RNA sequence: GGGCUCGUAGCUCAAUUGGUUAGAGCGCCGGACUGUCGAUCCGGAGGUUGCGGGAUCGUGACCCGUCGAGCUCGCCA
């Protein structure tokens, strides 16, 4: 060991001891004779004092130290004199009087100082991620991530779950996200796919009798990125045999409380609240409502169906809806100009306009208020729960558009008006998702969750009449407006599975070729089973009240899925391609 | 694939909205200093304004393209 103690672990209790510490030069203060170094490691800071009367040579060497040099310092830990105590740092009452110094690694001038308040642009941070990782924010994020993983493992281990690793090199299957492919050398022209999730393997583990499985599993999806989405990410993957939906829900309730207890130290009230998908869509406009604040969607269609405002009337006549939200006491917080910005904002979600009214002296104040009689105005105000000073927004459009636009507007206003404590974490279940959605592009029904999800038994008759109405035995866990887990009761009857493949347009022989192993397994004594997967990165992000998933991943990728540090992806040698029997065919305009 | 934003010194930013030699703070280099703690003081170096075209008497600023980064719609079973 090159050190006897970590910088951050030294306390007044160590006073008088001879210590050797290693770390990075956080800052230096050279007084000509006396020289101070703040030495940093993962655990904290300690001041090291170099005095020529202790060791002239060490003092001389110390004069050459600069930020981010890595050194080893030896000396006696001393209590500082009362007047020299620095209350700003944890170790402010102690310091090391250095007797020896070794420079373990001199640092070039770093492109940015990891301890500076000026956080450099992300491009630079990603290029020098090893420097960025020295920043306390990233260190604490990774530490929390580790603690969360430990808590997860502890929770499941105590309940007889076993962690099983599943392959990274798997079979490409239709449905779902775009695969990352890996060429096979020994099978010319053939490819593995990296897992989008261990979905099929964990079901096969159930058939294999594992009974209770979990895995902290890496997943890969070759789709466009977002602030909360990376091409490779981590799931807390769970599957159980001989259980139904309630068992998964209560098991995960316990997991959430355990995670909160471990990272926040508080007891989270259980059971977690539940809401149907239909209710979420109606009250919040989306299937991942942020329930830290209200401002729910209200339908005023029945009130305004005979009003004088043409846009509202014609929307209703064309099967549309008129829904709105009430931004309490925000009438003075949004000017005409900022409302124009909001109008453009909802336009991104397809809304053709954004009607707004300020509630003023019991009436509506707006350029379009004149189209509404006093009775209409009073009814709208009452329905919206309006009070003087409120600002009402309405979107008149097809149901889907009103949902999407108002859901997004609600989230934006909630944030801008600071309607919630950003540190708060509020979790709920969303249940009864539709099993199938109509894919207009491909002119077929497709699975909303995945094709292994069991239909709700009460809805089977809709297969022939109205497949969009079939509810799935599926459930999402939603936290602060993010989808944080998703799961379902699986199909364990090969006939049902076959029927579903057939229904989503997968031909018998294709189903046999792509999913034959699963159909086969279901024919050899498959237990009823159900499961779920939690997005680990998102949970870490939420516990840190962060909105950027890259800040909770040690080595994340950019929006174009490249690694700015290693410069992956990159071309490979012609020899490698020949071995794999691969020829590239990149159009000239993409080179 | 679409929309929006950004790119100026090592870093964070400014540049009176198109007008003289592109500035500041931090960092860096040199010097002074025995109790600092984001030390202080004195001096200094440091710029192809991402790249390529264009418009203009004149551009860091305007236009077009391009590269990179971010946000977002589509996409993400």
């Amino acid at each position: 060991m090159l050190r006897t103690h970590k910088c951050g672990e030294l306390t007044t209790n160590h006073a008088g001891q001879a210590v050797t510490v290693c770390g990075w030069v956080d800052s230096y203060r050279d007084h000509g004779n006396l020289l101070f170094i703040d030495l940093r490691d993962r655990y904290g800071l300690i001041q090291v004092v170099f005095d020529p009367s202790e060791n002239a040579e060490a003092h001389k060497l110390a004069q050459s130290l600069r930020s981010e040099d890595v050194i080893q310092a030896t000396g006696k830990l001393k209590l500082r004199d009362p007047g020299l105590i620095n209350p700003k740092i944890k170790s402010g009452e102690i310091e090391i009087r250095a007797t020896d110094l070794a420079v373990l690694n001199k640092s070039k001038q770093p492109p940015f100082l990891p301890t500076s308040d000026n956080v450099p642009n992300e491009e630079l941070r990603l290029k020098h991620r090893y420097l960025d990782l020295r920043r306390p924010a990233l260190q604490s994020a990774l530490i929390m991530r580790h603690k969360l993983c430990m808590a997860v493992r502890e929770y499941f281990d105590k309940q007889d779950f076993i962690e099983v690793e599943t392959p990274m090199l798997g079979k490409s299957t239709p449905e779902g996200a775009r695969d990352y492919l890996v060429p096979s050398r020994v099978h010319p022209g053939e490819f593995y796919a990296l897992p989008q999730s261990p979905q099929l393997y964990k079901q096969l583990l159930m058939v294999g009798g594992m009974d209770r499985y979990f895995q902290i599993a890496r997943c890969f999806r070759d789709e466009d990125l977002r602030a909360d989405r990376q091409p490779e990410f981590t799931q807390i993957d769970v599957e159980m045999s001989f259980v139904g939906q309630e068992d998964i829900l209560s098991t995960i309730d316990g997991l959430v409380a355990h995670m909160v207890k471990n990272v926040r130290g508080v007891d989270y009230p259980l059971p977690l609240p539940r809401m149907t998908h239909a209710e979420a869509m109606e009250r919040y406009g989306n299937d991942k409502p942020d329930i830290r604040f209200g401002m729910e969607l209200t339908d005023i269609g029945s009130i305004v169906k005979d009003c004088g405002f043409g846009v509202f009337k014609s929307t209703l006549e064309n099967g549309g809806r008129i829904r709105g939200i009430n931004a309490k006491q925000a009438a003075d917080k949004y000017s005409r100009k900022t409302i124009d910005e909001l109008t453009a904002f909802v336009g991104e979600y397809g809304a053709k306009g954004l009607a707004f009214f300020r509630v003023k002296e019991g009436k509506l104040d707006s350029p379009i208020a004149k189209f509404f009689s006093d009775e209409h105005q009073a009814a709208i105000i009452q329905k919206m729960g309006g009070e003087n000073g409120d600002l009402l927004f309405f979107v008149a459009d097809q149901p889907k558009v009103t949902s999407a636009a108002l859901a997004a507007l609600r989230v934006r206003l909630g944030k801008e008006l600071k309607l919630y404590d950003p540190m708060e974490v509020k979790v709920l279940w969303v249940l009864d998702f539709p099993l199938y959605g109509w894919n207009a592009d491909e002119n077929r029904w497709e699975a909303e969750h995945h094709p292994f999800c069991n239909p709700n038994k009460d809805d089977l008759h809709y297969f022939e009449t109205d497949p969009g109405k079939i509810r799935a035995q599926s459930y999402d866990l939603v936290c602060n407006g993010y989808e944080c887990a998703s799961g379902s009761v699986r199909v364990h009857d090969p006939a049902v599975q076959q029927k579903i493949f057939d229904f989503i347009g997968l031909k018998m022989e294709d189903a046999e070729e792509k999913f034959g192993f699963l159909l086969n397994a279901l024919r050899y004594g498959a237990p009823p089973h159900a499961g779920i997967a939690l997005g680990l990165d998102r949970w870490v992000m939420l516990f840190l009240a962060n909105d950027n998933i890259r800040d909770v991943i040690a080595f994340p990728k950019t929006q174009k899925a490249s690694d700015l540090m290693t410069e992956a992806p990159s071309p490979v040698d012609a020899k490698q391609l020949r071995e794999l029997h691969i020829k590239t065919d990149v159009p000239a305009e993409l080179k």
Side-chain angles (χ1 to χ4, degrees):
Chain A
M1 291 281 259
L2 296 181
R3 60 185 176 188
T4 60
H5 296 82
K6 295 144 185 166
C7 298
E9 76 175 332
L10 293 168
T11 66
T12 51
N13 295 332
H14 297 88
Q17 292 186 25
V19 299
T20 300
V21 292
C22 295
W24 287 262
V25 173
D26 196 76
S27 66
Y28 59 95
R29 297 173 290 280
D30 186 351
H31 285 235
N33 268 316
L34 216 47
L35 190 152
F36 305 92
I37 298 286
D38 283 346
L39 197 63
R40 181 191 78 235
D41 63 16
R42 203 182 97 197
Y43 310 92
L45 284 180
I46 183 76
Q47 173 164 282
V48 185
V49 189
F50 291 89
D51 187 330
S53 65
E54 290 274 3
N55 180 338
E57 209 175 320
H59 175 263
K60 191 166 183 237
L61 183 57
Q63 287 182 315
S64 72
L65 293 176
R66 292 295 178 270
S67 295
E68 301 307 310
D69 288 346
V70 175
I71 65 168
Q72 177 194 49
T74 299
K76 196 173 228 181
L77 193 85
K78 290 198 164 170
L79 293 176
R80 298 194 196 182
D81 291 339
L84 304 177
I85 289 171
N86 179 6
K88 288 188 205 165
I89 62 172
K90 224 176 92 187
S91 61
E93 292 180 54
I94 50 174
E95 64 188 10
I96 296 171
R97 299 286 299 194
T99 50
D100 284 291
L101 168 67
V103 178
L104 302 176
N105 189 276
K106 190 81 191 144
S107 174
K108 285 174 62 179
Q109 186 190 347
F112 59 91
L113 287 176
T115 47
S116 165
D117 291 336
N118 284 340
V119 180
N121 77 65
E122 201 166 358
E123 198 171 347
L124 195 74
R125 288 173 48 202
L126 291 173
K127 187 170 176 187
H128 303 276
R129 190 61 164 179
Y130 40 84
L131 295 180
D132 200 28
L133 287 170
R134 291 180 197 163
R135 287 172 51 233
L138 278 188
Q139 298 216 331
S140 58
L142 292 183
I143 290 165
M144 170 186 280
R145 188 180 174 118
H146 164 74
K147 282 186 178 159
L148 201 61
C149 287
M150 294 302 285
V152 166
R153 291 198 160 102
E154 179 189 47
Y155 178 81
F156 284 123
D157 179 60
K158 279 191 178 152
Q159 299 192 34
D160 289 334
F161 284 76
I162 56 169
E163 182 164 19
V164 181
E165 291 172 272
T166 52
M168 299 301 253
L169 297 176
K171 185 180 169 80
S172 177
T173 53
E175 300 284 311
R178 195 176 292 111
D179 284 324
Y180 275 103
L181 296 176
V182 179
S184 164
R185 175 179 56 85
V186 292
H187 298 279
E190 298 187 358
F191 295 82
Y192 302 97
L194 300 180
Q196 296 177 25
S197 79
Q199 179 61 37
L200 292 168
Y201 291 112
K202 68 175 172 176
Q203 291 191 240
L204 295 165
L205 284 171
M206 294 304 105
V207 182
M210 291 300 117
D211 190 65
R212 292 178 159 217
Y213 144 94
F214 85 102
Q215 181 183 192
I216 297 180
R218 193 67 62 85
C219 306
F220 305 85
R221 294 178 190 175
D222 186 6
E223 297 291 347
D224 287 348
L225 275 51
R226 286 288 186 283
D228 63 346
R229 226 195 276 165
Q230 280 276 299
E232 54 179 310
F233 60 99
T234 305
Q235 283 187 347
I236 302 164
D237 198 38
V238 182
E239 197 77 10
M240 301 169 79
S241 290
F242 307 116
V243 298
Q245 177 164 312
E246 280 303 324
D247 305 292
I248 299 288
L249 264 51
S250 61
T251 300
I252 300 305
D253 274 9
L255 174 66
V256 169
H258 189 70
M259 292 196 302
V260 173
K261 184 77 180 175
N262 270 269
V263 301
R264 289 276 177 91
V266 298
D267 292 308
Y268 198 92
L270 294 182
L272 299 174
R274 302 175 182 191
M275 190 182 291
T276 66
H277 177 266
E279 187 183 353
M281 293 304 293
E282 192 57 30
R283 290 173 58 189
Y284 299 96
N286 66 17
D287 58 8
K288 45 181 182 179
D290 188 339
I291 57 167
R292 287 174 299 177
F293 63 102
M295 205 157 72
E296 295 183 18
L297 278 56
T298 303
D299 189 316
I300 58 161
S302 60
I303 296 173
V304 298
K305 61 181 183 294
D306 57 351
C307 73
F309 189 49
V311 174
F312 280 10
K313 274 175 79 174
S314 63
T315 299
L316 289 169
E317 283 157 18
N318 293 324
R321 299 182 69 180
I322 294 140
R323 294 201 283 171
I325 54 178
N326 181 353
K328 300 297 288 180
Q329 299 304 304
D332 298 330
K333 294 179 180 162
Y334 287 87
S335 64
R336 184 58 203 257
K337 191 183 161 198
T338 52
I339 291 175
D340 282 348
E341 285 170 20
L342 297 179
T343 306
F345 175 73
V346 295
E348 292 171 32
Y349 299 86
K352 290 180 282 296
L354 180 66
F356 68 92
F357 303 91
R358 293 188 174 86
V359 182
K360 207 170 173 181
E361 291 158 23
K363 292 193 163 190
L364 296 178
D365 178 33
S366 163
I368 58 168
K370 61 191 172 198
F371 298 111
F372 299 86
S373 67
D374 287 353
E375 290 73 35
H376 280 130
Q377 296 196 8
I380 291 171
I381 291 170
Q382 203 222 339
K383 186 97 192 249
M384 298 299 295
E387 296 170 305
N388 289 339
D390 289 355
L391 180 55
L392 312 179
F393 291 102
F394 295 95
V395 172
D397 220 304
Q398 289 305 301
K400 266 190 178 174
V401 174
T402 62
S403 293
L406 287 169
L409 182 64
R410 175 180 173 271
V411 168
R412 175 169 172 167
L413 294 178
K415 190 172 186 181
E416 287 180 359
L417 295 168
K418 300 188 168 63
L419 298 185
Y420 52 86
D421 170 2
M423 286 306 290
E424 190 182 4
V425 163
K426 239 175 175 173
V427 186
L428 79 154
W429 288 107
V430 177
L431 307 173
D432 294 341
F433 277 71
L435 187 59
Y436 301 113
W438 180 250
N439 183 329
D441 291 339
E442 296 180 26
N443 206 37
R444 67 179 182 97
W445 291 98
E446 64 185 5
E448 286 281 329
H449 182 52
H450 56 54
F452 320 109
C453 175
N454 214 31
N456 188 313
K457 285 184 183 58
D458 299 335
D459 296 343
L460 292 176
H461 61 282
Y462 285 127
F463 261 108
E464 282 71 36
T465 55
D466 193 353
K469 277 195 179 163
I470 305 171
R471 286 169 300 168
Q473 291 187 53
S474 74
Y475 28 84
D476 275 10
L477 201 52
V478 174
C479 180
N480 296 4
Y482 289 88
E483 180 196 317
C484 278
S486 186
S488 60
V489 177
R490 324 296 185 189
V491 176
H492 73 282
D493 178 339
V496 173
Q497 188 63 68
Q498 189 74 62
K499 182 177 178 180
I500 288 171
F501 284 147
D502 184 52
F503 181 74
I504 61 174
L506 201 59
K507 290 199 196 88
M508 183 81 90
E509 61 264 31
D510 288 342
E512 207 52 62
E513 186 210 320
K514 302 291 187 188
F515 297 112
F517 59 98
L518 175 70
L519 290 168
N520 257 331
L522 295 182
R523 293 177 189 120
Y524 285 100
H529 58 289
I532 191 166
L534 292 79
L536 174 70
D537 317 87
R538 284 187 186 168
W539 281 100
V540 179
M541 190 175 97
L542 286 160
F543 282 131
L544 290 166
N546 201 318
D547 54 10
N548 182 337
I549 202 170
R550 295 181 296 278
D551 284 349
V552 302
I553 295 174
F555 300 101
K557 300 209 165 29
T558 68
Q559 191 159 45
K560 281 194 154 177
S562 47
D563 179 335
L564 296 181
M565 186 178 63
T566 65
E567 297 184 316
S570 59
V572 296
D573 289 343
K575 177 169 174 269
Q576 288 177 286
L577 290 178
R578 275 198 304 276
E579 276 181 343
L580 297 166
H581 309 285
I582 287 178
K583 274 187 188 166
T584 57
D585 180 20
V586 184
E589 67 268 20
L590 292 180
K591 277 182 184 168

